[in-house]
Amino acid sequence: MMISHSTLCTNTLLSLIPALRPNIRLKSSERGSYSSVKSYQHRFFGEVRQELSGSHELSSITYAPRAGEQSILIEEETSQVLENPSMKVLPGQPHPLGVSEVENGTNFAIFSQSATAVTLCLLLHERDQEMIELSLDAEVNKTGDIWHICVQDLPRSNVLYVYRVNGPEDWHQGHRFDYGNLLLDPYAKLIEGRRVFGDASDKMSNFFGTYDFDCLPFDWGENYKLPNIHEKDLVIYEMNVRAFTADESSAMDPNIRGSYLGLIEKIPHLVELGVNAVELLPVFEFDEMELQRRPNPRDHMINTWGYSTTNFFAPMSRYASNGGGPINASLEFKEMVKALHSAGIEVILDVVYNHTNEADDENPYTTSFRGIDNKVYYIVDFNNNAKLLNYSGCGNTLNCNHPVVMELILDSLRHWVTEYHVDGFRFDLASVLCRGTDGSPLNSPPLIREIAKDEILSRCKIIAEPWDCGGLYLVGKFPNWDRWAEWNGIYRDDIRRFIKGDNSMKGSFATRIAGSADLYQVNKRKPCHGINFVIAHDGFTLYDLVSYNFKHNDANGEGGNDGCNDNFSWNCGFEGETSDKDIKALRLRQMKNFHVALMVSQGTPMMLMGDEYGHTRYGNNNSYGHDNALNHFQWGQLEDKKNNLFRFFSEMIKFRRSHNVFTRENFIGKNEVTWHEDNWENTESKFLAFTLHEENGGDLYVAFNAHDYFVKAAIPSPPQTRQWFRMVDTNLESPSDLVPEGVPGVKEMYNMAPYSSIILQAKP
């Protein structure tokens, strides 16, 4: 059920208080407007700057028509506030950071250790289009390194705010202050910017913090409960909120396509597929038009993946339906989580704490942290003119283990758990979070430990992408406190290489299928701490993995230099699209083989959105900047393939979830598996078979043939009173390729086709 915003929240503005006007009136053409503020970040707007302190007798009002012009200073005697007062201000309090409602008004608090001047800038939305600026007095409005002010009688919603921050100009000391910049509050819970995703007419939009104290508490429902699925039982579906329903083929109202509400409409697909967790590509506020703000080879692209965080607390506002803005985005995100939980599906967020959108020193895009306190928020190289260090590959590296930044990240994570009820997090380039304030690797990173030990986060899945762009590769070695799981990149590579028929891979393939004990059987770690995947958002789709030997990234504007070159892919005999029936049949078989391997492996499986119908990006293995069919889920193709590939994927997921032998809590013991192999050292062998033993006698025989010829597999005797039933044979056409009830009559020898896999089950 969808609930409109009007049923949950009072949108009526409280009466807005007229802004203070000096005796000198500005011509309308000279006044700064909301639209001009949105378009020009480095302009002084010709606005009236108001510098008020609740206890001071004198208020100075400065008119600066244009940057560089001499200002006109007018001083008026007042008693607390000016005649015809616009707003009353008090010193405020340092905590909590961000904006909060307190007894005496609305409190604003922001950290900056090195700032010498901080100004709060307010826009009283929809009424007063002049920006009101309140300069904070370091003697009155500062406690330690936190600047704060309390503004009385502000509306309880529909107020926009940013900061101007000034400080030392010593570049070599790591400072990047510029009083001309409008800066987002790092603790803003809602962000207002452009309303429509990818709106080129508003690509230079500024972003503002906002708040809504009018909104009633969200109704999670009387019978609402968290799914609380054990990690070993998860089947994760990595997906992009917008791309899931943005395409016309979703057959949705255009106003909800690509939105949180759009995802709700398609939950039945997820249920039918059989997954029980979604891992959402970034949903923190990001600027999808950042690549188009200056001429560059990528200025034709729209950042649709979202790995360029602007703020760590606010949900992506342009994922609201019908351009609804930040308040609706927050409410609809909660509706989405509630609906997914109701369907028994957990919500894991892909979070980017390794860098921000603010780029590098050569082409900075300053929106917040850089202008507030660059040397605190980022790792800088003081041996190289305080240049930003770049372990993220995106120009900057967040200083994650600095106490202030660490607390910011922890507060952000707690916010998403308490406010939005998410079930876990996947940390992008998590090795960055293991670096000290000088960039050096830490054996016991404080942030990683605090996340593992935090009481609020204790129920959450925490998953590391255990590498970064600085070479800190920690697969199997990520600091974990027996809590952290890892994306198992070694699993991905070994599975790919065996299935496509590489030599010398059988032993590694068996190790990965068995749960990667060589990586994770340490201390109290379990098989589920390895997140198994063959495909993820970056890299080839499953269809492209079996259709392309090389990446084809020309559309990205980087001359083919972006994206990974080591894909371990095989095109099955032809590069790209083909009408050859044999090649197409082999590709289909290989896609099924990869899915079988993933679903029979010990550990936690993850698949990518669209692989269930064979989505193609035509060989582009780095499609982050394409808001089109390269990334958009093609619902028409899904319907075309509902009776073959999708059916196989769905039934295979359900088969895994119905057999405990695939989801053991502990690593497989000697009595729980029989490897039908006595020639492990044969580098040319590409056949592997094993039997998983169930306590009730319902053993499962699994075999993979990665040779390019038939192999006659000797089938072991089934347990007493049982016979073998064929459950899966990827060489057969649908629906014979997977028969849930099984097909009896399996003989002592099974002639396995080239590049195929089978599963047999012992039944009475």
Side-chain angles (χ1 to χ4, degrees):
M1 179 179 68
M2 288 186 291
I3 302 176
S4 68
H5 178 215
S6 60
T7 64
L8 294 172
C9 184
T10 303
N11 258 339
T12 306
L13 273 174
L14 301 181
S15 58
L16 296 179
I17 304 163
L20 174 65
R21 299 289 187 270
N23 290 332
I24 296 178
R25 306 289 292 182
L26 305 184
K27 296 178 183 178
S28 60
S29 61
E30 292 175 320
R31 293 180 187 167
S33 68
Y34 176 42
S35 59
S36 69
V37 168
K38 291 179 69 180
S39 300
Y40 301 100
Q41 184 170 359
H42 297 288
R43 184 177 166 191
F44 277 94
F45 305 106
E47 77 279 5
V48 177
R49 291 210 204 95
Q50 306 174 15
E51 300 174 357
L52 302 176
S53 173
S55 59
H56 285 200
E57 296 270 321
L58 190 68
S59 177
S60 64
I61 306 168
T62 306
Y63 163 44
R66 287 178 294 275
E69 254 186 32
Q70 184 176 1
S71 297
I72 303 171
L73 180 65
I74 306 169
E75 294 186 347
E76 300 186 37
E77 293 292 329
T78 69
S79 61
Q80 296 271 330
V81 293
L82 293 175
E83 195 175 24
N84 187 22
S86 66
M87 54 186 55
K88 303 173 184 178
V89 297
L90 299 170
Q93 59 192 45
H95 296 289
L97 290 170
V99 60
S100 56
E101 194 171 40
V102 296
E103 183 178 355
N104 296 322
T106 305
N107 192 76
F108 298 83
I110 185 171
F111 166 88
S112 182
Q113 186 177 67
S114 301
T116 57
V118 174
T119 299
L120 173 65
C121 308
L122 300 172
L123 281 169
L124 304 185
H125 196 36
E126 298 181 350
R127 171 80 176 265
D128 187 347
Q129 294 188 345
E130 289 183 354
M131 177 172 280
I132 301 167
E133 297 198 355
L134 305 177
S135 295
L136 279 62
D137 185 337
E139 298 297 322
V140 176
N141 303 108
K142 187 181 180 187
T143 302
D145 294 326
I146 298 176
W147 299 72
H148 46 80
I149 188 170
C150 180
V151 185
Q152 294 186 315
D153 300 324
L154 274 181
R156 301 182 73 235
S157 61
N158 291 292
V159 173
L160 306 183
Y161 76 101
V162 285
Y163 290 93
R164 298 185 190 277
V165 181
N166 213 351
E169 297 181 0
D170 299 323
W171 182 285
H172 66 282
Q173 292 297 321
H175 301 304
R176 304 293 187 268
F177 292 106
D178 182 345
Y179 194 67
N181 287 328
L182 298 179
L183 303 172
L184 278 172
D185 175 6
Y187 274 79
K189 302 304 188 296
L190 299 171
I191 301 296
E192 176 71 79
R194 77 180 65 85
R195 287 294 182 96
V196 178
F197 190 94
D199 182 2
S201 68
D202 198 15
K203 66 182 179 182
M204 300 302 291
S205 170
N206 271 79
F207 294 88
F208 296 82
T210 188
Y211 56 84
D212 183 17
F213 298 129
D214 282 330
C215 195
L216 298 174
F218 183 77
D219 182 9
W220 290 96
E222 190 173 326
N223 298 317
Y224 169 81
K225 63 179 181 179
L226 299 167
N228 284 327
I229 302 170
H230 194 286
E231 285 100 325
K232 70 182 182 63
D233 297 319
L234 289 178
V235 179
I236 301 172
Y237 185 80
E238 191 190 27
M239 63 179 298
N240 181 305
V241 169
R242 173 169 171 78
F244 195 46
T245 63
D247 196 80
E248 290 184 5
S249 63
S250 66
M252 287 185 178
D253 181 332
N255 289 326
I256 68 168
R257 290 206 304 256
S259 70
Y260 301 122
L261 296 187
L263 191 154
I264 293 175
E265 294 289 311
K266 295 296 187 180
I267 287 176
H269 169 72
L270 302 176
V271 173
E272 185 180 3
L273 180 59
V275 297
N276 56 12
V278 292
E279 184 174 298
L280 305 180
L281 266 64
V283 292
F284 294 4
E285 184 71 28
F286 65 92
D287 181 6
E288 74 280 8
M289 304 302 290
E290 63 182 3
L291 298 170
Q292 300 189 23
R293 285 181 169 263
R294 61 177 181 85
N296 69 90
R298 299 183 294 161
D299 60 12
H300 60 290
M301 298 208 294
I302 295 174
N303 184 350
T304 189
W305 284 0
Y307 290 87
S308 193
T309 308
T310 301
N311 173 276
F312 297 114
F313 292 85
M316 177 57 172
S317 59
R318 286 167 299 290
Y319 287 172
S321 62
N322 198 26
I327 296 174
N328 280 317
S330 175
L331 293 169
E332 292 174 8
F333 188 98
K334 293 172 185 175
E335 288 288 350
M336 177 190 69
V337 173
K338 179 180 176 180
L340 286 164
H341 283 176
S342 179
I345 298 172
E346 292 199 337
V347 179
I348 299 169
L349 303 186
D350 193 336
V351 292
V352 186
Y353 293 110
N354 61 81
H355 74 283
T356 74
N357 66 298
E358 295 190 301
D360 54 22
D361 283 326
E362 284 69 37
N363 296 290
Y365 174 27
T366 303
T367 57
S368 183
F369 310 96
R370 177 183 173 93
I372 293 170
D373 209 327
N374 183 77
K375 66 184 293 185
V376 167
Y377 283 111
Y378 295 112
I379 300 178
V380 299
D381 185 357
F382 288 107
N383 296 317
N384 185 21
N385 199 31
K387 185 177 181 179
L388 293 173
L389 287 170
N390 182 17
Y391 297 112
S392 67
C394 297
N396 64 68
T397 307
L398 208 63
N399 196 6
C400 297
N401 284 293
H402 186 286
V404 170
V405 183
M406 181 171 70
E407 196 59 35
L408 170 78
I409 294 172
L410 288 167
D411 286 342
S412 165
L413 294 169
R414 295 169 187 138
H415 176 70
W416 287 97
V417 172
T418 57
E419 183 72 16
Y420 293 102
H421 291 200
V422 303
D423 304 286
F425 305 93
R426 176 267 187 187
F427 293 79
D428 183 65
L429 297 183
S431 290
V432 165
L433 281 60
C434 299
R435 293 185 180 273
T437 56
D438 62 352
S440 60
L442 302 174
N443 292 326
S444 184
L447 175 60
I448 299 300
R449 182 188 184 281
E450 289 302 312
I451 292 172
K453 300 293 184 180
D454 190 85
E455 183 177 357
I456 292 174
L457 305 178
S458 62
R459 71 167 183 84
C460 295
K461 282 75 179 176
I462 48 176
I463 303 168
E465 183 184 33
W467 52 81
D468 65 16
C469 294
L472 190 55
Y473 191 78
L474 296 174
V475 174
K477 298 173 289 186
F478 193 84
N480 57 80
W481 284 271
D482 297 326
R483 278 269 284 130
W484 282 82
E486 303 174 15
W487 268 26
N488 189 347
I490 296 176
Y491 176 96
R492 173 199 59 207
D493 297 345
D494 288 352
I495 298 297
R496 288 184 178 191
R497 294 185 64 191
F498 177 85
I499 294 294
K500 79 184 186 74
D502 282 1
N503 287 335
S504 304
M505 292 306 302
K506 181 166 62 175
S508 297
F509 180 72
T511 299
R512 302 300 150 234
I513 291 283
S516 297
D518 60 326
L519 301 175
Y520 302 117
Q521 196 171 14
V522 180
N523 298 328
K524 297 181 181 179
R525 300 193 89 182
K526 307 290 185 181
C528 64
H529 288 126
I531 306 299
N532 297 329
F533 67 103
V534 177
I535 303 295
H537 65 276
D538 48 357
F540 283 146
T541 65
L542 184 60
Y543 179 88
D544 290 356
L545 185 70
V546 300
S547 304
Y548 294 89
N549 286 350
F550 308 100
K551 65 184 183 183
H552 296 265
N553 293 2
D554 292 343
N556 298 352
E558 298 187 55
N561 293 318
D562 64 309
C564 183
N565 294 318
D566 300 321
N567 296 291
F568 301 118
S569 61
W570 177 45
N571 64 19
C572 296
F574 186 85
E575 186 76 359
E577 296 300 304
T578 179
S579 59
D580 188 291
K581 292 183 179 179
D582 291 336
I583 291 176
K584 291 172 73 173
L586 176 56
R587 288 175 176 177
L588 177 61
R589 197 154 72 243
Q590 286 290 73
M591 286 191 284
K592 291 190 288 187
N593 291 335
F594 279 118
H595 191 57
V596 169
L598 183 63
M599 289 299 128
V600 302
S601 295
Q602 303 297 314
T604 303
M606 183 189 77
M607 63 170 289
L608 177 66
M609 176 187 91
D611 281 348
E612 66 267 38
Y613 66 80
H615 183 84
T616 182
R617 296 176 185 153
Y618 302 99
N620 192 323
N621 74 349
N622 193 28
S623 64
Y624 65 94
H626 299 283
D627 188 37
N628 53 35
L630 280 185
N631 286 308
H632 293 175
F633 195 100
Q634 300 298 296
W635 293 93
Q637 291 185 34
L638 173 70
E639 292 303 317
D640 291 343
K641 299 178 180 180
K642 262 288 178 72
N643 293 323
N644 43 63
L645 189 60
F646 173 83
R647 176 191 171 276
F648 185 88
F649 266 61
S650 175
E651 292 296 341
M652 194 65 225
I653 291 171
K654 293 166 187 174
F655 187 78
R656 172 187 174 85
R657 292 181 60 183
S658 65
H659 290 85
N660 293 332
V661 293
F662 300 131
T663 60
R664 296 185 188 277
E665 184 170 357
N666 297 308
F667 288 93
I668 293 179
K670 292 182 178 180
N671 296 327
E672 295 169 330
V673 62
T674 298
W675 299 98
H676 304 295
E677 179 60 57
D678 55 10
N679 194 14
W680 289 102
E681 303 305 319
N682 184 353
T683 60
E684 296 182 356
S685 175
K686 304 170 188 178
F687 178 86
L688 180 70
F690 57 94
T691 298
L692 295 171
H693 302 295
E694 280 195 341
E695 291 182 0
N696 62 4
D699 289 3
L700 293 169
Y701 173 90
V702 183
F704 294 88
N705 178 22
H707 287 288
D708 58 2
Y709 52 81
F710 278 85
V711 170
K712 291 185 177 181
I715 306 301
S717 299
Q720 288 186 350
T721 72
R722 306 269 176 153
Q723 62 172 313
W724 291 115
F725 282 66
R726 188 194 78 230
M727 313 302 291
V728 173
D729 186 339
T730 60
N731 182 55
L732 302 177
E733 294 185 0
S734 180
S736 299
D737 52 359
L738 196 161
V739 181
E741 64 275 14
V743 177
V746 177
K747 307 299 182 183
E748 293 180 355
M749 300 293 292
Y750 197 106
N751 199 23
M752 286 188 65
Y755 302 108
S756 70
S757 51
I758 65 170
I759 301 177
L760 311 177
Q761 183 175 357
K763 290 187 171 189

